């Protein structure tokens, strides 16, 4: 425990750490001090001058000195005043000055009620506007489908450009002009290029940047029904708040978790919520007559009875497909159900991916290692990173953002050595300039992280194997003299010298040899320092790898369906059309399904597979049910239901539980749920913390999902029905679907601080900035359970792997992962349509010369009678003799659809060319 | 060190070799008057000895703040483990309203600046120098380029300068033109290709400056003092001042005086002597109403202050600043509200837009002053103006621009309040109803008047 120092604020003594600046210290003490330009992750720059306080030299000093708290370190026995008249007057005048140009458009501003500027204006007690001159006006820009721009509201705090340029290193948003005409926007209107643009809406203290999807479907913050949720769009498990109104999801906002997402989300996570409002949602159970191909709606009870009957009839000949985009409860319930009826459970991963994931889990268990935590904790403290084979920019964007902060550590250390604290953002950046901690990227696809990388030359799989072997040899002092491996030497030396070396790899390397080599390299690093992060493809891929028996992959299921069709096939929240290549999916839907007596699909979306189901059971989406998610770092996290499922929808686990023979008697959802979790804990030892994970989110009193200011609750349905219905109940959660209940921040008066509140709100702090106040940080402190035991100082034994000298192919197809294209749920989001990429094929000049292809040629690639046609582009960053094809186009060629296509397929190509007209 | 017999200590060391010949800026002329002899002396000494001489000389920065030059230099970390390269910057971005002293030195004596820069480089072990010059100073840029070329040809810059195993590179950078670039950290940002926004201090540029490396920024005139200190010695230099401050300084006068211009005079010359002896007093029909002692960002002073010597501390005592030492005279026929409006509008225009008091406070003041000048002002406007001057006070803003901008405003509100109230009471500018005033005579450059 670090030593505390005493400071005196307005006559009251406080014990503080002294490591943070004075503003952050005051806020954490729960004091109300206004600010704009400071941000906990962006540090201090002192531009807005809003956090002025009086600092006194000693108790005899009566005059004091007006000081900007954000730019001032805390020193022992510091004497200061927030309430002194001079400081209060200054803060009020400062607001008055920056409000001279701010429009009085709060009633029509999306930020209204969720606005830091409103809060700070009230807090500063600036009431009467004295300025009578003209306000400056600006033209707004079109910034794409996600972010709105309303520059007249700008108060010039510079947070947007500091986040966008300094933190994310994107450069298409900038500040232009000077004096009171400073303009924050793009050189030309156009779609923001950053994958983190949505954070501008939270970073902006007022309504310059607002969430466009929210504006199009708007309601006031105080009318939102909120709940703490887990993002389902990649394996990182970022923490979010989902906000809904009248049964539609309106908005996703960041929920601070210093171990994962910190203060920021990626755009995929923030904007892919629209699937939950999709017109393509399933609503009622449907029974399809195989002969007439007509579907008829069923009562829920009849559907339940049909399922039960089919299960009983098919005993012993049942197959089930789990889903990595569904909660653990849903998968476990399905697994339990078919176990009781003698069936087999399969994962939705390809054979290759499943074995990689399971091998990695075995590695964690046997070697007692745990993946590292993200944002403000381990990843960002690393000082040397090696990324192998994983395109984290697209497959785990928030991790890529962490790595952008990681490279700053060398500079932060240098700054600290001459007395510049890390929060002095501008000073640190000025001192360090382009200096970075080493980051090496070994991957077949060009990475946009290359701007901060020490080395980022794309390498094909066999070259990667060779390099990793050389690094391994260097680290184990073998082959140290090998003159061919200057790069390997460089990487090995950097890893060895680092205080916190980090290895990042993932499921998409697609190669067991590579994975074994990385694990060996990890074993050769100092046990007390080393860190690793393993990225998986989907939100619950890790859990599904635990639940699925070995070799029970999607490939195995398809083989089984073709060779030995079961009587009953149950598919949980999976679209074969997405998982398989279109032609394979068609074959399964049209032919294979015919040979299976009963195909049951449980899904919340009307997917191609759902349309072919003999019995379709509509399930609750992830925002309509409580569920556990296991992220790639092995943290179990509970996502709370945001709304009750409407119509005949039920959580998938509930459909399964209701059909299970042993559960027939249980009528209470809570009992069913807890039985399920207990069974899960007993059956899958690794998942046993799930019981604790759920229990720690229990609370003796109920918390409200709606703010107590929610208006018009009883009027929402008045046009249909004047009766007032009670709010839906939620037996499983400590949260209520209403505004009755304890406000989240009131928890601080109790001993129960672990349960997550439904939203962030504090008196006087209506905007999300309330998170920076001390009280907020005390709530929901325990939000996850780690399933891997964590580092124990055991060095894993080395694998004796040798690179396989595969015959080098003429051309290698390399799949390019894309942010939105490779996320199934994003396909159901209208706002993201425009951001999906079109098919692309690129190759370097040398390869193009070999093929005699020119840019703009329309090229056909054929594999096993499947052909794709794409226009060809030259990209100098492509590895030699490789064709870089976007993952979506490649699906048509690969046997198991998108997931396999992430791997590099070494296929000799027949290439034909046509000249585009 | 040998020096030609005609090179004698002068009471006007910086301008003594300027004459009306076309090539007074040439290396030949400069060397004829003892140019680069100071550098030779410096190169024969150790860095520590040069630094000590500059410290002992009592030289204070001539850019406006008057910080002791030797002390500033001593903050640059020295020794083997310290970061390199170390940078020296000449701040030649003169843009202060009413100031034209650096322009004179730049155009007439480019070699004097280069010599000063080389001496400073020796003292602080600097490796690279930048001359950051206002882009509008076309003639100065041309002459500096020419001078650098001459230095290149005569082994006065580059490697192994004068065979003394001393290396120093000099680059000339022409500014795109913002007043804020005169602020040393904004200058550094601009030089790095970034927005000309000041940096937070600490860390000071001596520790983390250009490209994050140790950097010292000094004004043109500061550098021009150095060759003479090194050539004629510390004792001689200290004897030049007429009060506590030492050496000479370029003082200028503009406004409705008989002989506007620029003169090199001892530090501590009384203001009255500059206005009445050198500028030869007010034009016929005009009374001295007040004056800005050192450029547009200094507080007004009154005729009662004419006995005050031009000395950093003495002017500070009467609540103004010596600033650049270029006096702007306000006469009794010119509207003080209009003059202040003109100044504040300039500073509002030149605000970089970084901090609130400057970005939004100054335009607010401009709109109030415009309103008063139009005859639409109210009593409350004066209260607001007073609030703004307190709001933008030193320490409240990110850099010194806004506090400087409100200095003429706050002193005008103190000394000429009745002018403001008269505008409000008469609902017009009283000065516009007087006979149209004669325009001020064109300011002549120094050297025209003395030898």
């Amino acid at each position: 425990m670090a030593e505390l120092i005493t400071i005196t604020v307005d006559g009251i003594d406080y014990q503080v750490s002294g490591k943070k600046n004075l503003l952050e210290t005051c806020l954490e003490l729960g004091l109300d001090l206004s600010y704009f330009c400071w941000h906990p992750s962006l540090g201090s720059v002192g531009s807005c001058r809003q956090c002025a306080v009086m600092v006194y030299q000693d108790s005899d000093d009566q005059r004091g000195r007006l000081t900007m708290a954000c730019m001032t370190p805390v020193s022992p026995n510091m004497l200061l005043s927030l309430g002194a008249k001079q400081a209060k007057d200054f803060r009020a005048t400062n607001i008055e000055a920056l409000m001279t140009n701010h429009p009085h458009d709060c009633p029509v501003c999306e930020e209204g009620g969720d606005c830091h500027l409103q809060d700070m204006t009230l807090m500063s007690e600036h009431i009467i506007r004295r300025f009578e001159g003209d306000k400056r006006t600006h033209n707004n820009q079109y910034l794409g489908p996600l972010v709105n721009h309303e520059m007249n509201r700008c108060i010039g705090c510079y947070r947007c450009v500091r986040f966008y340029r300094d933190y994310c290193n994107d450069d298409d948003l900038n500040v232009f002009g000077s004096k009171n005409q400073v303009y924050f926007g793009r050189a030309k209107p156009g779609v923001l290029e950053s994958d983190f643009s949505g954070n501008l809406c939270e970073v902006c203290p007022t309504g310059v940047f607002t969430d466009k999807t929210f504006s199009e479907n708007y309601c006031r913050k105080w009318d939102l029904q909120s709940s703490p949720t887990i993002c389902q769009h990649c394996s990182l498990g970022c923490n979010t708040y989902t906000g809904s109104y009248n049964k539609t999801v309106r908005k996703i906002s960041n929920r601070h978790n210093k171990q994962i997402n910190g203060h920021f989300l990626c755009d995929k996570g923030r904007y892919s919520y629209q699937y939950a409002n999709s017109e393509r949602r399933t609503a009622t159970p449907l029974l399809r007559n195989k002969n007439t191909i007509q579907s008829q709606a069923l009562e829920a009870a009849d559907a339940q009875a049909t399922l039960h009957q089919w299960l009983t009839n098919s005993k012993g000949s049942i197959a089930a497909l789990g889903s990595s985009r569904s909660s653990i409860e849903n998968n476990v319930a399905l697994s339990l159900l078919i176990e009781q009826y003698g069936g087999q459970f399969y994962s939705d991963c390809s054979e290759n991916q499943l074995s990689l994931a399971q091998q990695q889990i075995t590695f964690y268990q046997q070697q007692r290692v745990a993946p590292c935590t993200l944002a403000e904790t381990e990843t960002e403290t690393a000082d040397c990173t090696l990324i192998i084979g994983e395109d984290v920019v697209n497959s785990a964007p928030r991790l890529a953002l962490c790595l952008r902060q990681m490279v700053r550590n060398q500079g932060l250390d240098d700054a600290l050595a001459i007395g510049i604290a890390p929060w002095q953002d501008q000073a640190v950046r000025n001192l360090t300039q382009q200096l970075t901690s080493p980051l090496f990227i070994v991957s077949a696809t060009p990475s946009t992280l290359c701007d901060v990388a020490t080395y980022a030359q794309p390498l094909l799989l066999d070259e990667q194997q060779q390099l990793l072997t050389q690094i391994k040899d260097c680290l184990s002092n073998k082959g140290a003299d090998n003159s061919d491996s200057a790069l390997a030497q460089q990487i090995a030396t950097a890893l060895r010298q680092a205080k916190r070396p980090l290895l990042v790899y993932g499921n998409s390397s697609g190669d067991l040899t590579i994975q074994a080599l990385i694990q060996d390299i990890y074993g050769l690093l100092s046990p007390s320092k080393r860190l690793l992060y393993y990225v998986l493809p989907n939100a619950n891929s890790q859990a599904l790898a635990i639940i699925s028996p070995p070799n029970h992959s999607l490939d195995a299921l398809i083989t089984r369906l073709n060779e030995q069709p079961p009587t009953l096939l149950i598919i949980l929240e999976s679209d074969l059309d997405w998982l398989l290549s279109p032609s394979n999916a068609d074959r399964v839907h049209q032919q294979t399904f015919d040979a299976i007596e009963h195909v049951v699909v449980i899904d919340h979306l009307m997917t191609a597979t759902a349309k072919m189901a003999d019995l379709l059971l509509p399930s609750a989406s992830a925002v309509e049910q409580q569920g556990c998610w296991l992220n790639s770092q092995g943290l179990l996290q509970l996502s709370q239901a945001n709304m009750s499922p409407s119509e005949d929808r039920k959580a998938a686990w509930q459909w399964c539980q209701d059909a299970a023979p042993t559960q027939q008697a249980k009528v209470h959802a809570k009992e069913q749920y807890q039985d399920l979790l207990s069974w899960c804990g007993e059956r899958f030892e690794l998942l046993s913390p799930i019981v604790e994970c759920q229990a720690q989110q229990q609370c003796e009193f109920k918390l409200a999902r709606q703010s107590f200011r929610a208006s018009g609750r009883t009027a929402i349905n008045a046009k249909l029905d004047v009766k007032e219905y009670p709010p839906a109940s939620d037996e499983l959660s400590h949260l209520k679907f209403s505004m009755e209940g304890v406000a989240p921040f009131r928890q601080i008066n109790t001993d129960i601080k672990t349960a997550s509140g439904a939203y962030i709100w504090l008196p006087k702090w209506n905007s999300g900035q309330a998170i920076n106040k001390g009280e907020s940080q005390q709530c929901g402190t325990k939000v996850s359970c780690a399933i891997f035991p964590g580092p124990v100082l055991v060095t894993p034994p080395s694998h004796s792997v040798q690179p396989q000298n595969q015959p080098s192919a003429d051309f290698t197809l390399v799949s390019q992962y894309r942010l939105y294209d490779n996320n199934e749920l994003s396909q159901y989001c209208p706002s993201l349509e425009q951001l999906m990429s079109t098919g692309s094929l690129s190759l370097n000049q040398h390869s193009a010369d070999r093929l005699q292809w020119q840019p703009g040629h329309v090229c056909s690639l054929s594999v096993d009678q499947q052909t794709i046609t794409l226009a060809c582009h030259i990209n100098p960053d492509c590895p030699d003799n490789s064709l870089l094809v976007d993952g979506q186009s490649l699906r048509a060629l690969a046997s198991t659809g998108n997931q396999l296509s992430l791997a590099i397929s070494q296929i000799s190509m027949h290439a034909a060319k046509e000249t585009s007209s | 060190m040998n020096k030609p017999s005609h090179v004698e200590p002068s009471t006007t060391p910086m301008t003594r070799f300027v004459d009306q010949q076309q090539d007074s800026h040439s290396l030949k002329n400069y060397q004829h008057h003892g140019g680069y002899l100071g550098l030779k002396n410096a190169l024969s000494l150790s860095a520590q000895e040069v630094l000590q001489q500059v410290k002992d000389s009592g030289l204070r920065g001539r850019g406006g703040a008057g910080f002791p030059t030797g002390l500033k230099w001593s903050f640059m970390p020295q020794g083997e483990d310290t970061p390199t390269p170390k940078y020296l910057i000449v701040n030649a971005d003169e843009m202060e309203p009413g100031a034209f002293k650096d322009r004179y030195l730049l155009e007439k004596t480019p070699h004097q600046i280069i010599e000063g820069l080389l001496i400073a480089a020796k003292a602080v072990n600097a490796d690279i120098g930048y001359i950051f010059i206002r882009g509008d100073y076309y003639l100065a840029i041309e002459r500096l380029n020419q001078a650098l070329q001459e230095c290149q040809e005569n082994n006065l810059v580059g490697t192994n300068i004068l065979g003394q195993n001393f290396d120093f590179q000099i680059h000339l950078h022409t500014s795109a033109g913002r007043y804020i670039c005169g602020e040393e950290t904004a200058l550094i940002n601009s030089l790095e290709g970034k927005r000309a926004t000041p940096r937070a201090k600490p860390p000071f540029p001596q520790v983390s400056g250009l490209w994050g490396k140790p950097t010292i920024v000094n004004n043109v005139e500061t550098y021009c003092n150095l060759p003479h200190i090194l050539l004629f010695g510390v004792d001689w230099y200290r004897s030049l001042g007429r009060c506590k401050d030492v050496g000479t300084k370029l003082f200028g006068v503009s406004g409705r005086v008989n002989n506007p211009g620029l003169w090199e005079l001892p530090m501590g010359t009384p203001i009255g002597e500059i206005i009445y002896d050198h500028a030869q007093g007010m034009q016929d029909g005009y009374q001295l109403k007040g004056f800005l002692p050192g450029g547009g960002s200094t507080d007004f002073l009154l005729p009662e202050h004419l006995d005050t010597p031009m000395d950093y501390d003495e002017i500070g005592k009467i609540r103004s600043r010596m600033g650049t030492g270029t006096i702007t005279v306000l006469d009794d026929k010119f509207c003080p509200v209009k003059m202040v409006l003109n100044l504040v509008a300039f500073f509002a225009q030149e605000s970089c837009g970084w901090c609130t008091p400057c970005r939004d406070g100054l335009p607010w003041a401009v709109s109030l002053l415009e309103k008063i000048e139009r005859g639409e002002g109210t009593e409350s406007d004066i209260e607001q103006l007073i609030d703004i001057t307190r709001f933008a006070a030193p320490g409240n803003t990110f850099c010194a621009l806004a506090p400087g901008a409100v200095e003429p405003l706050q002193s005008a509100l103190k000394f000429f309040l009745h002018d403001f109230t008269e505008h409000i009471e008469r609902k017009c500018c009283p000065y516009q109803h007087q006979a149209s005033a004669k325009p001020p005579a064109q300011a002549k450059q120094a050297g025209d008047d003395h030898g």
Side-chain angles (χ1 to χ4, degrees), chain A residues 748-780:
Chain A
I748 56 166
N749 300 326
T750 73
D751 291 334
I752 302 156
K753 289 169 186 162
T754 56
S756 299
Y759 51 86
I760 280 287
W761 184 81
L762 287 175
K764 297 191 199 174
W765 296 74
N766 298 296
S767 85
Q769 301 282 323
I771 186 64
N772 299 329
K773 285 259 294 179
E775 294 98 312
S776 306
Q777 291 167 359
Q778 291 171 22
C779 303

Side-chain angles (χ1 to χ4, degrees), chain B residues 221-237:
Chain B
E221 194 183 349
T222 314
Y223 285 107
C224 286
N225 277 278
L226 300 172
H228 317 294
I229 296 172
L230 268 291
L231 182 57
F232 301 123
V234 168
D235 293 339
W236 162 81
Y237 185 78

Side-chain angles (χ1 to χ4, degrees), chain A residues 47-49 130 155 158 177-178, chain B residues 178 195 353 355-356 359 397:
Chain A
S47 81
C48 75
R49 318 309 278 176
R130 292 184 294 172
I155 56 159
Y158 287 79
S178 64
Chain B
R178 293 288 290 171
R195 283 175 69 81
C355 77
T356 310
R359 181 189 61 233
T397 57

Side-chain angles (χ1 to χ4, degrees), chain A residues 871-886:
Chain A
C872 138
H873 303 274
I874 302 293
N875 177 351
D877 293 332
C878 291
D880 243 2
N881 301 330
S882 71
L883 303 174
L884 195 65
V885 180
D886 68 286

Side-chain angles (χ1 to χ4, degrees), chain A residues 725-888:
Chain A
Y725 293 94
S729 67
D730 188 350
E731 290 179 46
L732 306 182
S733 172
H734 64 289
L735 299 173
K736 291 186 81 174
F737 288 118
S738 72
M739 58 189 179
E740 286 88 22
V742 182
F745 76 95
R746 297 276 180 222
Q747 274 185 86
I748 56 166
N749 300 326
T750 73
D751 291 334
I752 302 156
K753 289 169 186 162
T754 56
S756 299
Y759 51 86
I760 280 287
W761 184 81
L762 287 175
K764 297 191 199 174
W765 296 74
N766 298 296
S767 85
Q769 301 282 323
I771 186 64
N772 299 329
K773 285 259 294 179
E775 294 98 312
S776 306
Q777 291 167 359
Q778 291 171 22
C779 303
T781 44
K782 191 99 170 88
V783 291
S784 60
C785 288
I787 67 159
F788 298 116
V792 169
L793 306 184
V794 177
T795 301
S798 180
H799 299 82
S800 57
V801 283
Q802 288 302 319
Q804 299 138 1
N805 287 324
Q806 288 157 336
S808 79
D810 263 9
F811 276 91
T812 303
L813 270 185
V814 177
S815 164
Q816 170 94 55
Y817 202 101
R818 292 281 170 76
L819 190 63
Y820 303 111
D821 302 30
N822 294 67
N823 183 31
E824 181 186 356
L825 297 179
S826 300
Q827 314 305 311
Y828 294 83
C829 302
S831 293
L832 300 179
E833 268 169 28
Q834 179 189 344
L835 302 171
M836 302 284 176
S837 49
T838 50
S840 74
L841 182 156
S842 40
L843 69 177
N844 69 13
Q845 190 64 52
H846 176 252
S847 309
D849 291 346
R850 259 189 78 197
L851 289 165
Q852 296 183 309
W853 286 1
Q854 300 289 326
H857 272 168
V858 176
C859 309
S860 310
L861 307 177
S862 306
V863 178
D864 295 342
Q865 292 154 12
Q866 301 296 327
T867 302
I868 53 172
T869 308
L870 294 164
C872 138
H873 303 274
I874 302 293
N875 177 351
D877 293 332
C878 291
D880 243 2
N881 301 330
S882 71
L883 303 174
L884 195 65
V885 180
D886 68 286
Q888 278 302 86

Side-chain angles (χ1 to χ4, degrees), chain A residues 136-153:
Chain A
R136 61 104 177 84
T137 53
H138 286 299
N139 289 324
N140 302 321
Q141 289 182 326
Y142 168 75
L143 298 178
L146 307 181
V147 178
N148 255 332
H149 193 222
E150 180 54 66
M151 253 311 287
N152 287 347
R153 295 177 186 142

Side-chain angles (χ1 to χ4, degrees), chain A residues 50 89-102 121 124 126-131, chain B residues 356 360 364 384 387 391:
Chain A
Q50 189 56 47
D89 286 353
F90 180 83
R91 296 197 297 262
T93 313
N94 202 54
I95 291 259
E96 186 175 9
L98 54 80
M99 291 290 279
T100 54
N101 288 312
H102 189 78
T121 304
S124 76
H126 158 60
I127 309 287
I128 310 270
R129 177 192 181 81
R130 292 184 294 172
F131 176 71
Chain B
T356 310
D360 292 326
W364 182 7
Q384 287 181 52
D387 279 357
F391 174 46

Side-chain angles (χ1 to χ4, degrees), chain B residues 96-379:
Chain B
E96 177 86 4
F100 42 89
K101 65 174 182 79
D102 293 343
R103 176 182 176 184
Y104 180 78
L105 293 168
L106 288 159
E107 288 179 0
K108 304 284 184 188
T109 70
H111 279 289
Q112 185 171 230
I113 297 159
I114 294 169
E115 186 183 359
L117 181 57
L118 290 164
I119 291 168
K122 172 69 189 181
V124 300
N125 294 307
D127 305 283
I128 298 170
Y130 282 92
I131 302 171
F132 188 98
I133 188 167
R134 181 176 173 185
D136 307 312
Y137 280 4
Y138 302 112
L139 183 61
I141 292 164
E142 188 189 313
R143 290 189 172 169
L144 268 170
N145 272 323
Q146 200 180 329
L148 285 170
Q149 179 70 31
E150 287 173 324
C151 288
Q152 206 72 259
E153 287 158 6
N154 290 280
N155 189 216
L156 285 162
V157 293
T159 50
N160 197 20
I161 292 168
L162 297 176
Q164 297 289 313
N165 197 21
F166 169 63
D167 303 341
F168 192 68
Q169 305 292 334
I170 299 178
H171 305 284
L172 182 68
H173 179 92
T174 52
S175 165
R178 293 288 290 171
Y179 172 73
I180 191 64
C181 293
E183 202 282 341
E184 62 178 6
T185 55
L187 184 157
I188 289 170
N189 268 339
S190 174
L191 204 50
E192 285 185 12
K194 297 173 181 160
R195 283 175 69 81
T197 303
R199 294 177 173 182
K201 288 171 276 193
F204 289 92
Q206 290 94 321
V207 174
S208 169
L210 184 63
W211 315 115
K213 303 294 182 189
T215 304
I216 288 171
V217 185
N218 280 126
N219 175 257
V220 167
E221 194 183 349
T222 314
Y223 285 107
C224 286
N225 277 278
L226 300 172
H228 317 294
I229 296 172
L230 268 291
L231 182 57
F232 301 123
V234 168
D235 293 339
W236 162 81
Y237 185 78
R238 294 190 67 92
S239 72
L240 285 177
R242 284 172 62 175
C243 61
K244 212 178 99 202
D245 279 334
V246 296
T248 57
K249 163 117 193 55
L250 294 190
F251 294 108
V253 180
S254 57
R256 286 186 176 116
V257 288
N258 286 313
N259 182 31
L262 191 69
W263 307 271
E264 182 178 4
L265 300 170
M267 282 297 251
T269 304
I271 296 166
E273 204 177 306
I274 300 172
I275 294 179
Y276 284 97
D277 293 356
H278 298 280
Q280 296 170 17
M282 301 300 291
Q283 292 174 11
D284 282 350
Y286 295 99
Q287 297 288 313
L288 178 67
K289 187 177 174 100
F291 57 91
L292 302 169
S297 61
T298 54
D299 281 280
F300 275 105
L301 292 176
L302 297 176
E304 68 197 61
H305 300 121
L306 286 172
D307 293 339
T308 313
M310 275 295 227
D311 167 294
Y312 291 110
D313 296 341
E314 293 298 319
I315 304 247
K317 280 183 200 157
I318 51 172
R319 303 203 151 226
S320 185
R321 292 186 303 120
M322 192 169 84
T324 59
T326 42
I327 298 164
T328 308
V329 164
L330 171 67
D331 59 73
D332 60 342
K333 301 273 171 25
F334 195 85
C335 173
V337 176
K338 196 169 176 182
M339 177 165 173
V340 169
L341 168 60
N342 182 296
L343 287 169
V344 180
F346 170 81
F347 291 114
Q349 163 74 29
E350 291 300 325
S351 166
C352 75
W354 179 251
C355 77
T356 310
C358 182
R359 181 189 61 233
D360 292 326
L362 296 184
W364 182 7
V366 170
S367 89
L368 293 167
L369 288 166
E370 279 173 342
K371 208 173 135 201
I372 294 170
E373 180 63 12
R374 281 199 310 268
E376 294 165 11
T378 61
E379 281 299 322

